[in-house]
Structures are given as structure tokens and as C-alpha cells.
Amino acid sequence: MNISNRIDGYSGMNLPEKWRSILDKLSVVDNTSRVLGAIASWILLLCALAIGYEILARYVFKSPTIWAFELSIMLFIAYTFLTMADLQRMKRHIRVDILTSKFGPDTERIWEIVTTAMGFLFSLILLVYSVFFSAESIRLQERGPSFWAPLIWPVKSSLTVGTLILSIQYLKDLIAFSVIAKYSEKSKNGDVFNNTKLIFAVFAVLVVISTYMFVKVPILAFVMLMITFLMFGVHIYAALGLVGAAGMYFVFGGQNQLFVIPQVTYGAMDNFALVCIPLFVLCGELLNRAGAGKELYDMAAKFCGNLQGGALIATIVACAAFAAISASSVATALTIGVIALPALNAYNYDKRISYGTLAAGGTLGIMIPPSGSMIVYSAVTEESLGKLFIAGVVPGIIMAVLFSAYAFLYQKYFSINKVTEVATKFTWREKIESVKNAKWALLTPVIILGGIYGGLFTALEAAAVSAIYAIVMLVARRKMRYSEFPTVLADCAGSAATILVIICGALVMGYYMTMLNLPNLVIDSVIKAGFSKWTVIVILMLAFVVLGMFLEVVSIMLITLPIVYPLIISLGFNGIWFAVLMIVNMELALITPPVGLNLFVIQGLEKAQLSTILEGVWPYFLLMVISLVIVALFPQLSLWLPNLMLGK
């Protein structure tokens, strides 16, 4: 188990009483971060309610507000920054652990100190310069540009408050990790991955060389330092932010350039598209708590039960249905997996096909709207979020059909397991009853997509309405005690914030890339190389597959889109079409080892061997590649529905 998951697990260690007392007293820091995270979660709920009130005022009172949307974005910004410390307390900041997962126990303990120190460094940079950023806003008594003209400095101050508590949390964790490392029993493991001095020396040399190269070959230095930080387990948001800060400092004028970092970080969250992410996450999690996954799977099983491989097909259908509720593929795989895997095991399905079907079905969570990845794409490229959502519908259905067809054919002609599933012909009465049971969940995509494309809501309003609907439904059905709601709300807020803080760090790095004029340099290089535009697409798709082996989806998109999107547009391709193409490729990343997150979901559910999961996944991988080719060659599959829209 990674030491980052047991920072407070020193109770059984033989610590001197002095240090035990100090660590116990430092728990006040954890409590402060926890309280700040709880406050942030309620701020997120207020954000949803403000948007909901605007819809009510517009349609019921016939008197739209002048403050609701501006207030919602202010609340969202405060929520993001106030959550950062609690993420560190819970050890939820995302990292790449390809290399660090191989470390021996001694190196693991020391390396947690190193990576925490890197996070601490970036939090200090944010803190120091955000003080000036907030102080200037207070001095000017800065107000918003709207007629309502609210004070802005309290929101900007949330960046300072958030990074202050984050820095203190990092410092507390550094002390705790150091004490644990000092008094832990040393391992007798002598392999290279438990050689702390060697590992640290390699890391230090790579960092020094990369830093030196900033003044010689800044683009190469940027790539080298980013890879070093990511591969050695630095939190992704801190790794990207530190690379951007290093580039600005060494290449573009020293300390004065760092004053822009809080402006970029604050500006990253001043985006209506991003507000959708935590609201859709909240909706999906609440519906899951209400049993939506179970109800959707039961409905799918009733309708598919008389087919060969019906339980497999039901898994895919249930994943597609839950994808229309959740913005996350991991949440989709986890929710449906908890229900589907026991059923598949009970029917004696080959575990390989069971695992592969669930892993692939879960990927539909980032294609079928609402899609968190599409939200990120919209935030970076400023493409219409409504059009991006609807563009994923047809490709998502095609992939679900391909997956189902394979499951049917495999079970009919190739399976060696004698499945005990009874091919029951369920009556229409039973089918209708299952639909009635799942109606609460099925209404959610109707509200989201119907509201957006019926002209009732914007995508942001649909996200708020879906979150409010999920809360009302949960209360009405008595699926959760009132006392549990704050915990669920805080958990949802934390899940979404892990993505948002990566966006903050990535846009700091993106600002440096823009200063380097990197997008235009790439475009010029492609033109000079004489590549055809389809050759460029093939190269990009292959590059995304490789990146998907080492990085998770959001990181890949945030690192590459600032460079790739201008290139795609300059070659004459449609940005909406490319979004679908990229999302299919990101789905591949979710089932590609060693970082495929859906693979880890299944491992967590069944304690399965990765090799067994991969045996079941590879046919679906090929089906996704086929889907990628279909989407590429037939753009209208992605563009037909968006072209029917009028400016949404």
C-alpha cells in the first residue's frame, strides 16, 4: 500500500512519545482542511441553487435575474480553491505511478517526502503571488463588470486562503512522512527500486539538466522536465504548474513573470463550461446512491435476457444508460460493475469476457453526454459545449452496438464456458415494470439533453437542474438519511476538484507554451515537413495511444490540446469532429495498460490478475480502433446532430 494512503497510520509504530504528541497536535491541520472542504462542498450546492433560481425566475416569475450566473461562477471559483487542501488531506491529488509503484518500501517512504515537497513548492509559489493578486483587488475594491457589480476581491482572496491552508497541509504531511520514514523498520530488499540514493540521484540529475536547458533549448527543457516530474510521481497539477513556472522564470524574465501565475490560475476557473463538471459528478453520484445503477441494469437484463450472452449485452446497455447520467467513465464502470460482475459470475460467464465487457462498456461514460472530457475540450478550445455533447451520441451508440454484437457472437460461437443463464423470454409486463423502476434515472438524460436541445437550458443550467433533480429524487425516495448528505456532498465535491486543480496547473503550463509560440511553431513545422493532413491525423492518433499508456485522460487533453487544436483547425478539419475522434482515442487510454483506469476499477472489484483482464479487453480495443476509423472516415456521424442545432 502506498504510504500516501496511510499518513496518519502511525498509531502502531514505535515512535518516541515526543513525536507521537507532535503528530497528534498537528491533526488540527487535517481538521482545518476537512472543514474548509466541507464549506467548499456547500458552496458548490449554493452554485447549483443559484442557477436553479435563475431558471425559476425566468420561466415562472418572468423576471430573469441579473446576478445568478455571475454569482454561480464566483461560487464555483471559491469552491475550487477552498477544496485543494482537503484533497491533499485525503491524498486524492492524481499522480502517475508507473515508476513509483515499483519502488521498494524504503524508497517509497522517502519518495513520498520528495513528491510532497514538490507539491509544497508549487503551493508556496501560488500562495506568495496570490497574496499580491488578492491585495491589489482589495486595494482597488474591485467589482464585477456587470450591472450588478459585485465585489470581486472576496473571490480572489479564496485563492490565497485555499493555497495558504494547502501549504500548511503539505508542511504537516512533510513532517509526518519524515517521522514515519525515520522510525519505520528498514527493508532488506536490495534491488535497484529500493535504492533510495540512486533513485534520488537520477531524479535530481534529470531536474538539474532540464532546468539548465531552459536557457539553451527551452522547448526540449519543457518536455524533459514535464516527463521527469510526471514519471517520478509528482502530483500532476503541481508537475504541470512547476514546469510552467520554471519556463516563465528562466526563459521570460525571472521573478516578474511569476506574478501572472495567480491570474492564470484564477482565469482558468472563470469558465462557465467547467462549472458543469462538479454538478454532473454530483448528479451521477447521488443517482448512484439512489440505486440507479441497479435499476438500469435490471431493466437492461429484462430486455436483453432472451439473447445469447444477454447478461453481457445488458452490462453494455446499462453502461450506456448510466453514461447518460454520469460524466465519468470510471464512475460508470464502477457503478455497473458492482452489480454486473456478481451476475455474470453467477451465470458462469468466462471471467475474461466479463472483465473486457465491463471495462469497454465503462468507457462510454466519456462519449455519451454528459461527458466530462467534452467539457474539458470545450473549456480549452471554446467549441460549443452543446454541440460537443450531441456529437457524441451517434458514435456512442455505434460503439455500444459493436460491443454488443461482439458479446453476442463470442458467446454464441466461441465461448468454452457453459453458461447457466436461462434465456428467459420476459413478458412485456415485466419489461414495463423494470422501466417504471428505472424511470427516475431515465428521466435524467431527458432533462439534460431535452432541456439543452429543446432550447430550455444552457449546458450549465442543465447541469444545475440535473444536480437539483437528483437531490430532490433522493429525498423523495428516502434513499439516504439526511445525516449522510454532507458526507456524500463533500465526496462528490472532492471527486470533481481533482480534475479542476489539474486544469489550473495545466493552464499555467499552457501560458508558458503560448509565450514560447509553441502552437505556431508546430504548425509551421508540419507545413514545412509536407505531411498530408490525414498523415497528421494518423500520427496524432498513434501519439494519443502511446500517451494513453502513461497518462490519464484529462492530463492528455490538457497537455496536448493547446498545441494540437490550432494545428487541426489550420489543416481545415472540423473541431467538433476532431473532439469525437479524440474522445474515442481517450476511451482507448482507459483500457490501455499500465495506466488504464477502468482496468484498475475491475482489479479493485474482483482482485483479478491484470493479465486476465487484458485477455478480455483486447478484442474491445480492436473494436474501438474500428470505431476510430469509422468516425474518421465518416465525419457526418459526428456532425449530423450538431449541424441540426441553431447556434447552441
Side-chain angles (χ1 to χ4, degrees):
M1 180 173 61
N2 193 301
I3 191 174
S4 65
N5 294 323
R6 52 184 171 87
I7 185 170
D8 295 318
Y10 55 83
S11 57
M13 294 181 61
N14 187 26
L15 295 183
E17 191 58 37
K18 170 188 172 183
W19 279 113
R20 189 178 298 279
S21 175
I22 290 173
L23 292 179
D24 287 340
K25 289 177 181 177
L26 285 176
S27 64
V28 69
V29 177
D30 290 334
N31 293 333
T32 303
S33 297
R34 184 185 292 108
V35 169
L36 207 61
I39 292 171
S41 67
W42 286 101
I43 289 174
L44 176 62
L45 181 59
L46 287 176
C47 176
L49 294 175
I51 299 168
Y53 180 79
E54 162 60 26
I55 298 169
L56 188 68
R58 185 168 71 234
Y59 287 112
V60 177
F61 304 136
K62 308 298 182 183
S63 178
T65 69
I66 61 172
W67 52 264
F69 287 116
E70 193 168 9
L71 177 62
S72 66
I73 195 72
M74 292 166 65
L75 291 170
F76 168 71
I77 292 169
Y79 143 74
T80 302
F81 297 139
L82 296 179
T83 308
M84 292 192 297
D86 201 36
L87 291 180
Q88 174 57 23
R89 176 189 68 83
M90 296 184 292
K91 307 301 169 285
R92 293 181 69 171
H93 286 299
I94 299 173
R95 68 177 77 193
V96 178
D97 65 353
I98 298 172
L99 180 60
T100 58
S101 63
K102 300 180 184 299
F103 287 172
D106 294 342
T107 303
E108 181 190 46
R109 285 188 286 266
I110 297 300
W111 210 252
E112 203 62 50
I113 299 172
V114 174
T115 54
T116 301
M118 302 306 294
F120 180 53
L121 175 60
F122 184 62
S123 71
L124 279 182
I125 293 172
L126 268 178
L127 174 60
V128 169
Y129 292 98
S130 70
V131 168
F132 295 100
F133 180 66
S134 302
E136 181 66 9
S137 183
I138 294 172
R139 185 183 70 80
L140 297 173
Q141 288 295 292
E142 187 178 2
R143 292 183 175 272
S146 69
F147 181 75
W148 178 43
L151 284 170
I152 297 297
W153 65 261
V155 186
K156 290 190 173 181
S157 297
S158 69
L159 174 58
T160 304
V161 173
T163 51
L164 172 62
I165 304 303
L166 175 64
S167 298
I168 295 172
Q169 182 69 52
Y170 268 127
L171 185 58
K172 179 263 179 184
D173 290 350
L174 276 173
I175 294 171
F177 282 138
S178 299
V179 172
I180 290 172
K182 181 176 181 180
Y183 291 100
S184 293
E185 183 178 348
K186 302 307 179 204
S187 169
K188 296 180 180 179
N189 183 352
D191 66 25
V192 65
F193 288 110
N194 203 39
N195 189 329
T196 305
K197 292 181 180 179
L198 175 62
I199 297 291
F200 184 81
V202 172
F203 176 73
V205 168
L206 289 173
V207 171
V208 170
I209 292 174
S210 302
T211 304
Y212 173 76
M213 289 175 62
F214 269 110
V215 296
K216 302 292 183 180
V217 191
I219 294 178
L220 181 59
F222 147 71
V223 174
M224 186 173 174
L225 187 60
M226 179 178 65
I227 292 174
T228 299
F229 281 158
L230 292 176
M231 290 301 102
F232 278 85
V234 178
H235 297 153
I236 291 175
Y237 89 97
L240 302 182
L242 284 172
V243 170
M248 285 186 269
Y249 183 87
F250 290 110
V251 181
F252 292 106
Q255 183 178 351
N256 288 337
Q257 284 296 326
L258 300 183
F259 282 95
V260 79
I261 290 178
Q263 297 176 30
V264 173
T265 305
Y266 181 88
M269 293 299 102
D270 192 5
N271 187 312
F272 282 108
L274 292 180
V275 185
C276 296
I277 291 178
L279 297 180
F280 280 131
V281 168
L282 178 60
C283 172
E285 179 59 26
L286 291 176
L287 287 171
N288 181 33
R289 296 280 179 140
K294 182 178 180 180
E295 292 164 351
L296 290 171
Y297 185 80
D298 179 67
M299 181 191 69
K302 290 288 195 303
F303 278 85
C304 303
N306 61 328
L307 299 174
Q308 192 75 242
L312 294 173
I313 298 172
T315 300
I316 296 165
V317 172
C319 283
F322 194 80
I325 295 171
S326 171
S328 163
S329 114
V330 172
T332 301
L334 183 59
T335 300
I336 302 303
V338 169
I339 304 142
L341 286 178
L344 292 167
N345 290 338
Y347 290 134
N348 197 37
Y349 277 92
D350 187 320
K351 287 187 177 295
R352 293 170 297 178
I353 187 68
S354 298
Y355 296 156
T357 300
L358 178 61
T363 66
L364 297 171
I366 62 168
M367 177 62 77
I368 295 175
S371 162
S373 298
M374 288 294 193
I375 295 170
V376 172
Y377 188 95
S378 174
V380 175
T381 65
E382 299 185 356
E383 290 280 4
S384 163
L385 182 54
K387 290 186 176 182
L388 287 169
F389 273 178
I390 202 69
V393 171
V394 174
I397 292 173
I398 289 173
M399 293 181 70
V401 170
L402 285 175
F403 294 166
S404 299
Y406 167 72
F408 173 83
L409 293 172
Y410 175 88
Q411 199 59 39
K412 187 174 179 66
Y413 297 110
F414 302 107
S415 176
I416 59 175
N417 274 31
K418 183 180 179 181
V419 175
T420 58
E421 175 186 11
V422 178
T424 305
K425 287 191 175 182
F426 291 99
T427 66
W428 276 105
R429 187 174 192 176
E430 291 173 305
K431 293 177 181 179
I432 292 171
E433 188 64 28
S434 72
V435 173
K436 287 181 179 179
N437 291 336
K439 64 181 181 296
W440 296 94
L442 294 173
L443 277 173
T444 309
V446 174
I447 292 170
I448 295 171
L449 298 182
I452 294 174
Y453 305 113
L456 296 176
F457 311 138
T458 63
L460 171 58
E461 290 173 335
V465 169
S466 68
I468 294 170
Y469 166 77
I471 294 171
V472 172
M473 183 272 295
L474 204 62
V475 172
R477 299 184 70 191
R478 299 180 181 178
K479 291 288 187 177
M480 183 174 65
R481 293 191 297 270
Y482 292 109
S483 59
E484 296 175 328
F485 183 73
T487 302
V488 174
L489 183 63
D491 187 58
C492 295
S495 296
T498 57
I499 298 173
L500 299 174
V501 295
I502 291 176
I503 293 172
C504 289
L507 290 189
V508 171
M509 187 186 73
Y511 184 85
Y512 168 64
M513 290 162 59
T514 302
M515 294 175 72
L516 280 179
N517 199 29
L518 191 55
N520 289 332
L521 290 174
V522 170
I523 292 171
D524 291 342
S525 298
V526 170
I527 292 173
K528 289 178 182 177
F531 293 131
S532 71
K533 63 180 187 178
W534 283 104
T535 301
V536 173
I537 290 293
V538 171
I539 292 172
L540 287 176
M541 294 302 103
L542 292 174
F544 286 148
V545 170
V546 174
L547 287 173
M549 296 178 181
F550 305 102
L551 296 171
E552 47 78 44
V553 170
V554 172
S555 302
I556 296 172
M557 296 182 71
L558 291 171
I559 291 169
T560 60
L561 273 176
I563 301 171
V564 169
Y565 179 76
L567 172 62
I568 289 300
I569 298 303
S570 72
L571 293 173
F573 289 112
N574 184 286
I576 301 290
W577 166 82
F578 182 73
V580 176
L581 206 62
M582 187 174 194
I583 297 304
V584 176
N585 219 305
M586 295 302 97
E587 290 181 302
L588 288 170
L590 289 164
I591 59 171
T592 307
V595 182
L597 294 182
N598 282 14
L599 306 179
F600 296 145
V601 167
I602 296 169
Q603 276 192 306
L605 289 173
E606 290 260 313
K607 303 294 185 285
Q609 293 291 325
L610 182 60
S611 58
T612 305
I613 300 172
L614 291 176
E615 284 184 55
V617 159
W618 74 263
Y620 288 101
F621 183 93
L622 295 179
L623 290 174
M624 287 186 188
V625 173
I626 292 171
S627 301
L628 190 66
V629 173
I630 292 172
V631 169
L633 296 181
F634 301 99
Q636 281 307 113
L637 294 173
S638 306
L639 300 177
W640 171 54
L641 290 177
N643 288 341
L644 293 178
M645 299 170 59
L646 297 176
K648 290 186 176 63

